[in-house]
Amino acid sequence: MKYLKQVLGNDLRQIPMVLALLVLLIGFHIISGGRMLTSSNMQNLISGNAYVLILAIGMLMVIVIGQIDLSVGSVAGFVAMVVAMSARDLHLPWYLAVLLGFALGLAIGAWQGFWLSKMGIPGFISTLAGMMIFRGAVIWLSGSISVPAPKELQFFGAGYLPEWGPAWTNMNNSTLLLGLVAIGLLVWSQLSAYQKAKRGAVGANPALWPTLVRTIGGGVVIAYVTWLFGSGRPGTSFPIPGLVLVALIVIYHIVTERTRFGRHLYAVGGNKQAAALSGVNVSRTYFAAMANMSFLAALAGVMFLGRATAAGPGDGTNWELDAISAVFIGGAAVSGGVGTIMATMVGGVLIAVLNSGLMLMGVGADKTQVIKGLVLLLAVAIDALNKQQGRPSIIGKIMESFQKKDK
Amino acid sequence: MSSNVATRDNILEMKGITKEFTGVRALDKVTLEVKRGEVHAICGENGAGKSTLMKVLSGVYPYGTYTGDVVFSGQVAKFATIKESERSGIVIIHQELALIPELSIAENIFLGNELMSAGLIDWQNTQMRTRDLLARVGLEADPSTPIKNLGVGQQQLVEIAKALSKNVSLLILDEPTSALNEEDSANLLDLMRSLRSKGITCIMISHKLNEIAEISDSITVIRDGKTVDRISVDDGHVDEDTIIRAMVGRSLDNRYPEHQPSIGDVIFKVEDWTVEDPNVPGRLLCDHIDFNIRAGEIVGFAGLMGAGRTEMARSLFGRNYGIYRGGSITIRGRKTVFRSVSEAIRNGLAYVPEDRKLLGLNLLDSIEETTVSANMREILTHRLIDFSKQRSVAEKFRDSLRIKAQAVDVGVSTLSGGNQQKVVLSKWMFPNPDVLILDEPTRGIDVGAKYEIYKLVHQLADEGKAVIFISSELPEILGMTDRIYTICEGRISGEMNTQDADQESLMRLMTTTLVA
């Protein structure tokens, strides 16, 4: 236990979820006869779920401020339809159509933010209205008929990195390069953190081995993922939607954890009045979180459009529920103030893996739905048990035996 | 009445009650004896353990979580829930009334205890019974009136009616008159007398010594979780000094640390400050208030509950409360009007709110996150939060304020009241303000921590800061400040140098309604 903490830091709350994820991945791989952890399956898994994970990023922030956004699916569908129609009917070049879509997302976000921050209407209600309004608008606008998307968008929705360089690597060299850069960044960040700890702690000599374990362990994982994605059939690589997602995760992780705005999100969700008395502009924080959510919904809509190659009137139905599930499986609190981007991503990937694995096993959509519902309930129940005071959680009980050995 | 007290049997005996919370002994072998049919007062300072004792009695802390015996009506009581204690006739009315504003009087009285007929609520019977109960407490109101349309005094009567509906034999009132005006208080005391004549025993927790003298038959004094004295009241006479000495347990002059003020120029001046009540149009919370504070000076604001002290403080602090209607603030010679809290903070103002858990803290945060939360600019490096800076700031304050915590990354919800308050103070010391508004800075914290907070306040004044000290406890105001303003109904009703003031003169000013 002590050693585990030294390697992984003090926050061990995510460990059970990550373990569950690994168990699922390996379990499905074995049951499906080795079809889970293959290049094409993982590439599909990432491309096919990137848009939900992007929604979950925004949803996490909305849930942290103690609100919810039920309109994201409708907004994504609406924006996708507007992008597709403006390209086809107004003959806008694809990039202008996409920019129009993003602007529309921001405008819708401002609308949602207005009702919450200026009028004080709870997000649940204003976004329930938004869900109906924008779903209705998609159907109205399209006349219930699908509209083909500009071809260029496929790159964002389902594209791959270019092939180049020597063939003897037996891999997609773009992916290989990305993997090497990632390993380089990992080594650099671990070493500089170690140097800092060494300089910071007077007299204390921080052990080098946790840093080494982290660096080597992380390096092996990245190398494996690089190989998994890079060694698929020629022309495939780590998918573009995945890259967009990774970039967004990095950006929003920093925004939520290390900026004043991020701190304000948690402060407003934790205790609105205390936040106001600490100089936080509550209504501006509300506005920003809601506006950001709709912007990300627009982005998700455009990416889905690229993958689906056409905008349909039913696109985006129930996406909000997948995003909300990911956030709560990741341990966020309904009352606000609790939750992280990283944990939400683990939650979202868990759902994605479950979907993909059950499909490989030939389980129908009906049963998959039931299982997903139970998993959501189970994950949140474990979390609730964890938080109950005075009663050791299941995980706590397991860890207890380790702790005793430490002393 | 007191002549035959000794012959009456005890309705309640609490023997050797000890209750511990993690690491803190809140009650230490407390003894309480209450005779059948008397009004028994319990006195003690904040945090002495009165409420904890009543929670043991009423089953909030179930049997088994404390040691000692509760003997009620001759039997050892083993209450596991409040419901069980109510069934045997013990009803507690808390200081914060537990009525639901949107429901009617009748619905509130029978909430959780609904009168049923054939599996459905019998509204006719409910109305009738309610009318009956309201007559007994002397409240003339229709049973279908929503609670929110009643005044505080009337709500208090509804609570008592609710207790009567449960066939109460021991009624516990926690600070029943603290929120009432004089007329309502007198009414309530009359009602308690009439309840006593009908054989209902009352326990009253109160600070108001005149009321205790007026109504109670005997008094138990609790200090630091121990029973220190049991005083019987004869013919409505009781020696207040005896009670005070028992409550405080030390002579009054060393409750506050010694301090030699070094007072400079006026650095904070408020002129013509006028604020309207956001809930009641036309009512002024602050009515043309003028005052000033000098560097290094501690200025007290005394006033009765509802006089407008907190409302004034929060409106000055970037219009956090109320509707601004006029006036100006001059801070270090610059005349300004803050439009937002962050503007007020940037200009050197800090406000430590009275309700720590509601307004002062995000209970999900750790110590270090709380410490920096009002001044995050200071810990940014390249616009990103620098966690090592955050930690070193928090550790600096933990050491200098002697906050008892293992580490600064533990949650503030795990700390005791006194340590929580120190964290809140460090949050407001970190921006290094020129003017600190301390609103009830020692509410709900124990005596030892109070002393440390007092020393801290002196230290802040010695650094040349202007300190506004708002408190409901007059001894504290008298012991801590250099100068005192009294507030009554949103107006400054008087100003005194502390050395010329005493409780009586202050009380007179606090109840003076000036005609402007």
Side-chain angles (χ1 to χ4, degrees):
Chain A
M1 186 69 187
K2 190 173 75 188
Y3 299 120
L4 209 59
K5 271 196 175 174
Q6 270 183 291
V7 176
L8 296 169
N10 275 321
D11 191 8
L12 295 177
R13 280 190 51 210
Q14 294 317 314
I15 304 301
M17 285 299 157
V18 174
L19 284 180
L21 190 60
L22 284 178
V23 168
L24 278 183
L25 275 172
I26 295 166
F28 280 130
H29 189 68
I30 294 167
I31 296 170
S32 64
R35 282 183 296 155
M36 186 76 202
L37 292 168
T38 63
S39 302
S40 65
N41 190 48
M42 293 317 280
Q43 284 162 354
N44 274 330
L45 190 139
I46 293 293
S47 301
N49 289 285
Y51 62 91
V52 171
L53 290 167
I54 288 172
L55 290 177
I57 290 175
M59 192 65 75
L60 180 267
M61 295 162 74
V62 170
I63 285 174
V64 161
I65 62 167
Q67 298 291 333
I68 204 149
D69 191 335
L70 298 173
S71 68
V72 293
S74 297
V75 171
F78 179 65
V79 168
M81 185 57 78
V82 168
V83 170
M85 288 184 78
S86 58
R88 185 191 67 177
D89 301 340
L90 304 176
H91 309 292
L92 287 183
W94 68 272
Y95 50 89
L96 282 185
V98 167
L99 277 181
L100 176 71
F102 289 168
L104 187 62
L106 278 174
I108 293 171
W111 160 269
Q112 309 274 36
F114 166 78
W115 292 109
L116 174 65
S117 67
K118 299 290 175 226
M119 302 296 288
I121 295 174
F124 188 91
I125 297 167
S126 61
T127 61
L128 182 63
M131 176 177 169
M132 300 180 203
I133 293 168
F134 297 111
R135 176 59 56 206
V138 187
I139 301 170
W140 192 352
L141 203 65
S142 64
S144 283
I145 294 163
S146 289
V147 177
K151 281 196 173 51
E152 294 85 348
L153 285 185
Q154 275 185 36
F155 178 69
F156 294 103
Y160 294 107
L161 295 167
E163 294 277 5
W164 49 269
W168 52 262
T169 57
N170 256 336
M171 278 170 81
N172 172 279
N173 286 328
S174 303
T175 309
L176 183 62
L177 185 68
L178 277 178
L180 291 174
V181 168
I183 290 176
L185 280 175
L186 176 77
V187 171
W188 176 75
S189 70
Q190 287 299 331
L191 284 182
S192 64
Y194 176 72
Q195 289 297 333
K196 212 172 168 186
K198 213 171 171 182
R199 264 184 283 119
V202 182
N205 200 12
L208 183 64
W209 68 265
T211 303
L212 284 178
V213 171
R214 273 197 296 267
T215 312
I216 293 167
V220 168
V221 170
I222 295 174
Y224 174 70
V225 170
T226 307
W227 174 79
L228 190 60
F229 283 97
S231 64
R233 65 187 161 77
T236 68
S237 71
F238 191 72
I240 299 291
L243 272 186
V244 175
L245 177 65
V246 168
L248 288 175
I249 291 173
V250 170
I251 291 168
Y252 280 94
H253 173 73
I254 291 171
V255 166
T256 53
E257 299 290 320
R258 293 206 55 187
T259 64
R260 287 176 72 207
F261 171 65
R263 218 27 107 67
H264 289 175
L265 292 172
Y266 289 95
V268 166
N271 185 342
K272 196 169 94 177
Q273 300 199 66
L277 276 172
S278 307
V280 176
N281 189 330
V282 174
S283 94
R284 195 192 294 161
T285 309
Y286 274 165
F287 185 88
M290 296 307 281
N292 173 67
M293 175 75 260
S294 292
F295 171 73
L296 288 178
L299 180 60
V302 170
M303 282 176 57
F304 183 79
L305 180 63
R307 185 173 153 83
T309 66
D315 285 354
T317 308
N318 286 350
W319 287 3
E320 55 277 342
L321 302 183
D322 286 337
I324 292 168
S325 304
V327 174
F328 286 131
I329 288 178
V334 185
S335 50
V338 178
T340 63
I341 296 280
M342 288 305 176
T344 298
M345 291 302 106
V346 173
V349 172
L350 197 83
I351 301 178
V353 167
L354 208 59
N355 267 336
S356 158
L358 290 171
M359 202 177 67
L360 286 177
M361 284 170 63
V363 177
D366 46 354
K367 289 173 197 143
T368 305
Q369 198 77 297
V370 173
I371 292 168
K372 271 161 68 181
L374 290 174
V375 166
L376 170 63
L377 212 52
L378 182 74
V380 177
I382 290 174
D383 219 40
L385 280 176
N386 259 327
K387 281 174 198 156
Q388 261 173 29
Q389 282 185 340
R391 191 193 290 184
S393 65
I394 303 165
I395 291 121
K397 277 231 157 89
I398 299 166
M399 293 302 190
E400 231 173 356
S401 46
F402 292 101
Q403 270 167 335
K404 272 172 198 151
K405 278 177 205 158
D406 286 349
K407 286 169 187 168
Chain B
M1 183 152 288
S2 50
S3 57
N4 60 347
V5 158
T7 62
R8 280 190 236 158
D9 57 336
N10 288 335
I11 186 169
L12 175 72
E13 286 176 19
M14 297 179 84
K15 291 184 235 169
I17 304 290
T18 299
K19 168 81 189 165
E20 283 186 8
F21 298 100
T22 38
V24 186
R25 181 168 284 201
L27 296 177
D28 189 4
K29 302 198 190 83
V30 171
T31 306
L32 175 67
E33 287 179 10
V34 180
K35 295 194 164 57
R36 196 177 293 279
E38 71 169 352
V39 173
H40 188 98
I42 298 179
C43 307
E45 288 186 296
N46 287 340
K50 297 165 297 186
S51 302
T52 312
L53 186 66
M54 291 304 107
K55 282 178 179 166
V56 166
L57 175 57
S58 59
V60 173
Y61 299 131
Y63 178 74
T65 62
Y66 57 88
T67 57
D69 280 332
V70 179
V71 181
F72 181 65
S73 295
Q75 286 183 332
V76 176
K78 298 178 178 177
F79 304 129
T81 61
I82 304 176
K83 203 130 194 172
E84 283 182 22
S85 70
E86 286 186 349
R87 215 174 293 139
S88 57
I90 300 175
V91 178
I92 183 163
I93 297 177
H94 293 279
Q95 197 174 354
E96 293 90 15
L97 300 179
L99 297 171
I100 296 168
E102 299 296 330
L103 295 184
S104 72
I105 296 177
E107 285 169 315
N108 266 288
I109 286 181
F110 290 99
L111 189 65
N113 222 351
E114 288 80 1
L115 299 174
M116 308 297 274
S117 152
L120 298 171
I121 293 177
D122 185 346
W123 285 117
Q124 215 177 349
N125 195 9
T126 305
Q127 297 273 330
M128 257 164 48
R129 289 273 311 273
T130 305
R131 214 156 285 167
D132 200 42
L133 290 164
L134 291 183
R136 283 173 71 189
V137 300
L139 176 60
E140 282 171 31
D142 190 88
S144 57
T145 315
I147 290 293
K148 62 177 178 186
N149 294 352
L150 300 179
V152 191
Q154 293 172 311
Q155 293 189 15
Q156 187 77 260
L157 295 179
V158 173
E159 281 273 22
I160 294 174
K162 184 175 178 181
L164 293 178
S165 79
K166 294 171 182 163
N167 292 319
V168 61
S169 57
L170 176 62
L171 181 64
I172 303 162
L173 296 139
D174 190 355
E175 307 250 8
T177 60
S178 64
L180 303 188
N181 61 29
E182 224 155 284
E183 196 189 328
D184 285 341
S185 300
N187 271 340
L188 188 77
L189 297 185
D190 279 343
L191 177 60
M192 286 173 71
R193 276 190 206 100
S194 94
L195 292 177
R196 175 169 61 187
S197 69
K198 285 170 190 147
I200 294 172
T201 313
C202 292
I203 293 177
M204 177 171 80
I205 297 175
S206 178
H207 287 307
K208 297 188 181 170
L209 299 180
N210 56 342
E211 282 177 5
I212 291 172
E214 199 181 317
I215 192 160
S216 60
D217 301 303
S218 52
I219 300 163
T220 296
V221 182
I222 295 178
R223 185 208 320 148
D224 300 337
K226 296 185 180 81
T227 305
V228 288
D229 211 348
R230 190 174 192 286
I231 307 163
S232 54
V233 186
D234 294 316
D235 305 321
H237 176 78
V238 63
D239 183 17
E240 293 192 3
D241 286 346
T242 315
I243 304 180
I244 291 177
R245 219 170 300 126
M247 274 169 64
V248 177
R250 61 195 109 74
S251 58
L252 283 169
D253 35 70
N254 65 3
R255 281 176 76 186
Y256 305 97
E258 284 291 317
H259 181 234
Q260 203 55 51
S262 56
I263 294 172
D265 298 330
V266 170
I267 57 168
F268 190 66
K269 195 157 81 179
V270 172
E271 287 165 297
D272 223 18
W273 194 254
T274 306
V275 176
E276 190 179 319
D277 191 329
N279 302 315
V280 186
R283 179 174 173 244
L284 293 182
L285 294 169
C286 298
D287 194 351
H288 301 278
I289 283 182
D290 291 292
F291 69 88
N292 62 70
I293 301 176
R294 291 184 280 254
E297 191 181 30
I298 304 171
V299 174
F301 275 80
L304 293 171
M305 202 164 161
R309 294 164 301 169
T310 295
E311 291 80 358
M312 177 196 78
R314 285 180 61 179
S315 67
L316 290 172
F317 193 54
R319 300 188 197 173
N320 178 260
Y321 190 83
I323 304 159
Y324 172 76
R325 289 285 180 238
S328 68
I329 296 170
T330 310
I331 186 162
R332 286 212 186 275
R334 271 193 335 107
K335 196 163 181 165
T336 159
V337 174
F338 307 129
R339 279 161 209 287
S340 69
V341 173
S342 61
E343 203 183 324
I345 296 172
R346 274 202 305 279
N347 283 282
L349 201 58
Y351 171 63
V352 176
E354 60 173 335
D355 193 321
R356 201 160 46 236
K357 287 188 178 158
L358 203 65
L359 303 174
L361 291 170
N362 175 358
L363 290 169
L364 298 167
D365 271 347
S366 63
I367 295 176
E368 53 183 345
E369 282 163 342
T370 309
T371 306
V372 301
S373 62
N375 191 21
M376 268 193 277
R377 265 166 236 278
E378 280 287 312
I379 56 154
L380 299 182
T381 306
H382 310 303
R383 307 192 64 189
L384 292 181
I385 291 169
D386 187 329
F387 291 115
S388 56
K389 268 191 201 170
Q390 169 177 294
R391 177 142 305 179
S392 64
V393 167
E395 272 169 357
K396 197 187 87 197
F397 279 108
R398 179 183 64 170
D399 295 344
S400 65
L401 269 62
R402 295 201 286 140
I403 297 166
K404 287 189 200 84
Q406 293 170 327
V408 290
D409 61 355
V410 302
V412 287
S413 58
T414 62
L415 302 178
S416 71
N419 283 311
Q420 279 183 351
Q421 188 68 341
K422 286 184 193 170
V423 174
V424 176
L425 279 170
S426 62
K427 164 179 166 182
W428 288 111
M429 285 162 69
F430 181 42
N432 196 21
D434 297 321
V435 181
L436 270 135
I437 307 176
L438 308 177
D439 196 350
E440 306 279 1
T442 63
R443 173 173 287 181
I445 64 181
D446 64 71
V447 183
K450 269 187 190 180
Y451 196 81
E452 285 187 70
I453 301 244
Y454 293 147
K455 283 209 287 199
L456 205 58
V457 173
H458 284 154
Q459 184 193 321
L460 289 168
D462 290 341
E463 287 167 18
K465 300 181 192 310
V467 179
I468 296 177
F469 194 95
I470 300 174
S471 175
S472 295
E473 293 174 41
L474 289 181
E476 186 175 77
I477 292 239
L478 289 166
M480 280 302 295
T481 61
D482 305 313
R483 193 153 56 95
I484 302 168
Y485 286 101
T486 57
I487 296 195
C488 181
E489 293 180 8
R491 297 194 187 99
I492 299 274
S493 61
E495 179 188 352
M496 292 183 104
N497 280 322
T498 304
Q499 59 211 46
D500 307 329
D502 57 27
Q503 296 208 26
E504 276 154 39
S505 55
L506 283 179
M507 187 54 83
R508 208 168 299 124
L509 288 172
M510 280 156 63
T511 49
T512 307
T513 316
L514 292 175
V515 183

